[in-house]
Every structure is written in C-alpha cells, then in structure tokens.
Amino acid sequence: MTETATPLWEVFIRARNGLSHKHAGSIHAADAELALQAARDVYTRRGEGQSVWVVRSSDIVASDPVDKDMMFEPTASKIYRHPTFYEIPDDVGNM
Amino acid sequence: MYSQGLIGADGKTDEDEAFLAAFQERIDAEQKIEPNDPMPEGYRKTLIRQISQHAHSEIIGMQPEGNWISRAPTLRRKAALMAKVQDEGGHGLYLYSAAETLGISREEMYQQLLTGAAKYSSIFNYPALTWADIGAIGWLVDGAAIMNQIALCRCSYGPYARAMIRICKEESFHQRQGYEILITLCNGSDEQKELAQDALNRFWWPSLMMFGPSEGQSVHSQQSMLWKIKRFSNDDLRDKFINATVPQAEFLGLKVPDPELKWNEEKQGYDHGDIDWDEFWRVVKGDGPCNRERMRTRRRVESEGAWVREAALAHAQKRAERQAVAPVAAE
Amino acid sequence: MAKGNILFTYLLRLADDHLILSQRLGEWAGHAPTLEEDLALTNIALDLIGQARSLYSYAGAVEGQGRDEDQLAFTRPERDYVNALIVEQPNGDFAHTIVRQFFIAAFMVPFWREMEKSGDDQLAAIAAKASKEVAYHLRHASEWVVRLGDGTDESHARMVEALEDLVMYTGELFEKDPVTDAAIEAGFAVDVSALEDEWRQTVEQVLGEAMLALPEVGYMQTGGRDGIHSEHLGHILSELQYMQRTYPGLTW
C-alpha cells in the first residue's frame, strides 16, 4: 500500500541581505508552517540563510521547454539592448 | 555518503534515431538536461534508478553509524557523529528530491526500497562493531564515496549534479573526522591500535567493492558514459581511491590487508589482489551480515511514523476547511 | 556550602539536563517519522549537546580539580547525576517525545531569558546563546503538539496518553532547595518557582489550540536533583559511558 503523498515544497534561501533568494532544493511537508521549519532544518545547517521562502511546488507556473524557441530566441537578435552595440571613441573615457 | 557502481541499470530506450541524435548532441555539447526537457526514456529510467539507489544508500547508511551515537567516547565525537549522520539524512533528502524531478514520488521510491525492488550500497550491510569502525567508515567508506561523488558533480542531469555539488561541499568534513578518529587511535595505546587495524581489516575489501564490479564491455555502462550520467569507469575510480588511500594507511602505521598490494612504477599506481566478487553479489542479493536487520529497521521506522504523517495531513486538511468556512481578511 | 560548590552543583544540574536530553534525542537519528523530522530532531540534539559542553567545561573550571567536560559527562556514578527526571524519560512514540520536548522547551525559554540577567558573566553568555536555540525548540514542539492533538483520532489519543505519562515530571522543574536558594542569594541563578505561571500559560495556550488539556496531577515526581532517578537513567549511562568505562583513561 502506498500512503498519501505529503506535498512537495520548493525552498528559496537568501544567503545574506543584499542578495536575492535562490532556489536551494525541496522538502516535503503537510502545511506551510511545517514546510518553513523543515526548510530551515534541512537547508540552513551551515549558516547558509538569513531568510527562507517556501512555495508549494504545484503552485509554480513554469514555461514549457518545448516553447523555448518562441519564448527566448527572439531576444537573441536584439543586440542594440547591450552597451557594446554602441561605438564611443576611446577618448571620451569610460561610459 | 555514497553511490555504488550502478547495479542493474537498464538504459533500453525506444525513441527514434533523430530524437536520440539530437539529445546526444546536447549531451556532447556539455549542456545540462533539466527536468522538463525532452529526454529518452532510458535516460530517465537510468537516472531514477541511480539517484534513488544513491538516496537509499544514504538513508540505510545512517544505521551503522547511528548505532554508535549513544556510545561515542567524548562529547566532541558525539556531536560530530550526530552531525554526520544528520548530513546523511539530508543527503538522502536532496537525492530523493532530485529523483522526484523525474516524475517519481518519494513514497514510491520508499516502497521500492522496502519491498527490495531497489538496491542500496552493499557496504551498509556490514556491521559497525567497534568505535574504530566509525573511524574506518568515515575514512574509507566516505573516501570511496567522494571519489564517485566528485565525478557526479559533472553529471549531465542538472538536478542530480546540483545535489551532488551541495553534498560534496557538506561531506568534506566526513572523511576528515573519520581519519582523525583513527589518528587518535593510532597514537594511543596498543589496544587502540589493534582496534584501528581490525577495523581496516574488515572494511578494506568491502570499501573496494563499493565502486562496483568491472564493467568490461557492458552495454548499459557504455550508454551511461555516453549520456554522461557516469563519467568514469568503476575500475578507474577504484584505482584512484586505492592510490590515494594506501599512503594514508601508511601514515597511520596500519597495514592494508592485501598481500598482493604493491606499487607499479610503470602505471604509477598500485596493483591489488583479487576482489571477492562472490561475496559482493552475495551481499547485494541479501545475504550480507546485516541485510535483514537494515530492512527490518527501515520498515519498522516507516510503519511507526505513519500515524504522524497522517495526523499532519489531517490537520492541514482541517485547517484548510476551517479557513474556507470562515474566511478572515488578510492584513 | 561555599559559593564555588554551589555554582559547581548548579552548573552540573543544568549540564546533566542537557546531556541526557541530547542523548535521548540522539536515539531518533535515522528513526524519525519523516526525513525532514529526522534532521529537525538532530538539530535540537546538537544544540543541547553544545549547551551541555559549555556548562560542563565551566563546571570543571569552577571545581578546579582538573576535570574536563568529558570526565564530568562520562565518568560519574549514577547517583552523582543530578538531571531532572523528565529528561531521562524514554522517547516512547513521537507523541511522547514531542510532549517531553514541549514541556521542557516551554520551561527553558523563560529560564534562559532570566539567566541572561545572571550576575555570573559566563552563565549570562551561555544563556544568550541558548535563548535563541530554545526559542526554536519551543516553536518546533508547539507546532507538532497542535498537529498531533488536532490531527487524527489516533494522534489525539496518543497525545492524551503522552501528556498523562509525562505531566508528573514537570513539577520538579520549578523546585527550589538549599542549592538553588543559595545560588539565588549569590545572584547568579534563576528563581524557577517564579516561572511556573508563565510556563502554565504557554502550555495551556498551545494545548488549547491542539484540542488537548493539561491533565491534573496527584503527585509530582521528584528526586533527580538528589541523584534519585528513574530506572531509565542506568540504561542511558550504560551506553553513554560504555567506552570510557571499558577503556579507562584513554584519549579518543
């Protein structure tokens, strides 16, 4: 008999103030508070965290890799968005 | 703690040539494969099998060492051992999570372990009899594990590689704490030195077996290498381990229990005696000293914890229902 | 009793509480209901062993006879251990462990908070660190009390039984005797009798949320501070002291 699955949560940790939260891994927990405690107990054992987020894995909306070309290819040709596209004489100095 | 040379991998796959070629191209270009990417069924299955086997090894591996937490000889050693056994639980957890991204639940993997359908590293079917065994496990078993795991940090599957990087970082203290235990014993009384030698005698060969048998021309293994799930052969990793470990044994003043072990100038490595693969297969198939005990313990833990997991889910359900009945405005 | 002796005995009681509880929690490693909980219980055990080490080391220094943390932790006979009875009670099922942790953490939170004001700098420093740790222990235990009390019929029944089994060991936490009186007089100790109302409030509030109640107690068990223990302690010590007893005087 396989028992009812305990929900999966994704864990995000801010290592230091000034940095954004970064995906650390996932844990299982029945509810949000237990998920937060588990995230703390599992992923911050070596002083890795100043702040923890947990999000139910099923609540994450992800792009489909099949759509990768449509979603992300068109931007590759827009090189004028990057500073190196523009030519400024060296004499002007740093800009 | 560790992954064994994969046992019973089956990389069979049914996709058409064009699909496989496109996938191989990505692998060859060292692109990481991520959870929702298209992948051959054989790749997915091989990974689930390998990652879950690795996770089970971590979880079962908590038993022989956990067995010594209550008897650790000093408070410092007790704290270190507890932290190490805890890490193993954490590593099992990271690995189960990595496998879950491939579409299998932790509950299913547990079920495979408990029914014996999934294997775990045979080393954990050997008993930890004395305190020196805790040193030997850290030094040899974790040392062998690290050889494997460092290679796996570059595995083609993103979540597995990321889990391995985290695990390797955390485990860097495991081997050191084991070796430190043995240094202390070897600098101690005759009785302590005997304990250390005895532990090495019992754990040396099983540690070498951890890398798994020679793959020879195994098709499955070649497929794993091609897909960059596995990056070095079992024999290569084993040799690397022996070359690194023998001088450490000499430093301790201990004798490696292999009369045929000797330095080979030409290959710049050690030659070693034959490994008893009959013993290896016997232990893998269930007839090691502790197989039944390990599984019985795991089954008991699972069944004794069921009411707790059910209660937590039931409470979450009740809470959700109460909130639905009486909605409270958020601040 | 001289002040040094009082401080030594006082430290030893606290250290023994932490060591024995840590030893008990360590038994859960690899045996918890979920992997996540396995890590959580070990974190608590590691906090406790850390506190025990600071307390034993300080006790050894106060005693001034060259005994270090390990000699104090591992080589005394059973009657010389002066921990409270509650910490040596068996883990039982997860409900028993959670109730034991809950009762103790609800006590340790105000205890360490008050100890931060101790006239003894070293104790105050240990308290400052421990305060943060036990705050989490209380939160962890409280959340589980609520889930198990208000979970399934089975979990509720197990919690009721655990409360009934363990409540009789809580009175000892608030006891005073000549050692504590002298310690309070000397300005480094916490008057535990003054913490009982706060403890009861915390406990009853969480139990209320968990659909549970604190059982009435006919008689509070006592004796740990005088070395009169339950039969469980001997078994704990036979494992704890195994190495130091089998191979006396060696370095590990």
Side-chain angles (χ1 to χ4, degrees), chain B residues 249-270:
Chain B
E250 284 165 1
F251 182 85
L252 291 170
L254 297 178
K255 196 171 161 11
V256 174
D258 177 359
E260 291 170 57
L261 185 83
K262 70 170 187 295
W263 179 254
N264 179 328
E265 189 61 34
E266 196 181 326
K267 74 169 191 187
Q268 287 293 301
Y270 286 92

Side-chain angles (χ1 to χ4, degrees), chain A residues 2 9-10 14 33-34 43 64 66 84 89 93:
Chain A
T2 305
W9 303 72
E10 299 305 317
R14 184 204 295 286
E33 176 56 34
L34 290 183
Y43 288 102
D64 189 328
V66 172
T84 46

Side-chain angles (χ1 to χ4, degrees), chain C residues 9-60:
Chain C
T9 306
Y10 192 78
L11 289 168
L12 211 53
R13 288 177 176 187
L14 262 178
D16 286 348
D17 284 347
H18 287 80
L19 172 64
I20 301 298
L21 187 58
S22 170
Q23 181 82 357
R24 276 296 188 215
L25 283 179
E27 294 170 19
W28 274 107
H31 296 82
T34 66
L35 258 182
E36 284 78 1
E37 200 47 35
D38 219 301
L39 275 84
L41 291 172
T42 313
N43 276 340
I44 297 172
L46 286 168
D47 285 343
L48 295 169
I49 202 171
Q51 292 158 11
R53 292 182 67 184
S54 308
L55 292 161
Y56 281 127
S57 295
Y58 186 29

Side-chain angles (χ1 to χ4, degrees), chain C residues 74-96:
Chain C
F74 292 95
T75 62
R76 287 175 294 142
E78 175 171 347
R79 291 274 279 100
D80 286 4
Y81 281 79
V82 282
N83 57 277
L85 299 174
I86 192 166
V87 299
E88 68 199 42
Q89 297 311 307
N91 286 340
D93 61 7
F94 189 64
H96 280 76

Side-chain angles (χ1 to χ4, degrees), chain A residues 12-85:
Chain A
F12 299 84
I13 292 176
R14 184 204 295 286
R16 295 198 301 279
N17 280 4
L19 297 179
S20 52
H21 287 75
K22 194 175 161 214
H23 187 236
S26 43
I27 47 97
H28 285 273
D31 59 57
E33 176 56 34
L34 290 183
L36 203 56
Q37 286 186 183
R40 178 262 190 195
D41 281 318
V42 173
Y43 288 102
T44 68
R45 305 201 305 288
R46 287 173 169 80
E48 296 95 330
Q50 291 292 321
S51 162
V52 180
W53 289 348
V54 290
V55 183
R56 246 182 210 264
S57 308
S58 58
D59 286 343
I60 289 184
V61 182
S63 64
D64 189 328
V66 172
D67 298 335
K68 197 172 66 159
D69 291 351
M70 169 180 82
M71 298 277 280
F72 309 114
E73 275 296 312
T75 193
S77 58
K78 317 282 196 293
I79 52 175
Y80 43 78
R81 287 196 172 114
H82 300 278
T84 46
F85 178 75

Side-chain angles (χ1 to χ4, degrees), chain A residues 1 3-4 6 30 34, chain B residues 106-107 110 114 296-314, chain C residues 28 30-38 41 92-95 98 144 147-148 152 154-155 158:
Chain A
M1 184 196 75
E3 65 178 65
T4 315
T6 299
L34 290 183
Chain B
R106 191 193 291 179
E107 286 80 4
Y110 273 170
L114 297 182
R296 200 166 51 233
T297 300
R298 199 60 233 163
R299 270 195 290 270
R300 180 172 58 74
V301 167
E302 279 305 297
S303 77
E304 285 178 359
W307 70 270
V308 177
R309 300 188 292 273
E310 281 161 20
L313 288 170
Chain C
W28 274 107
H31 296 82
T34 66
L35 258 182
E36 284 78 1
E37 200 47 35
D38 219 301
L41 291 172
D93 61 7
F94 189 64
I98 287 299
W144 273 114
R147 277 150 191 82
L148 300 180
T152 61
E154 180 182 2
S155 70
R158 284 174 183 268

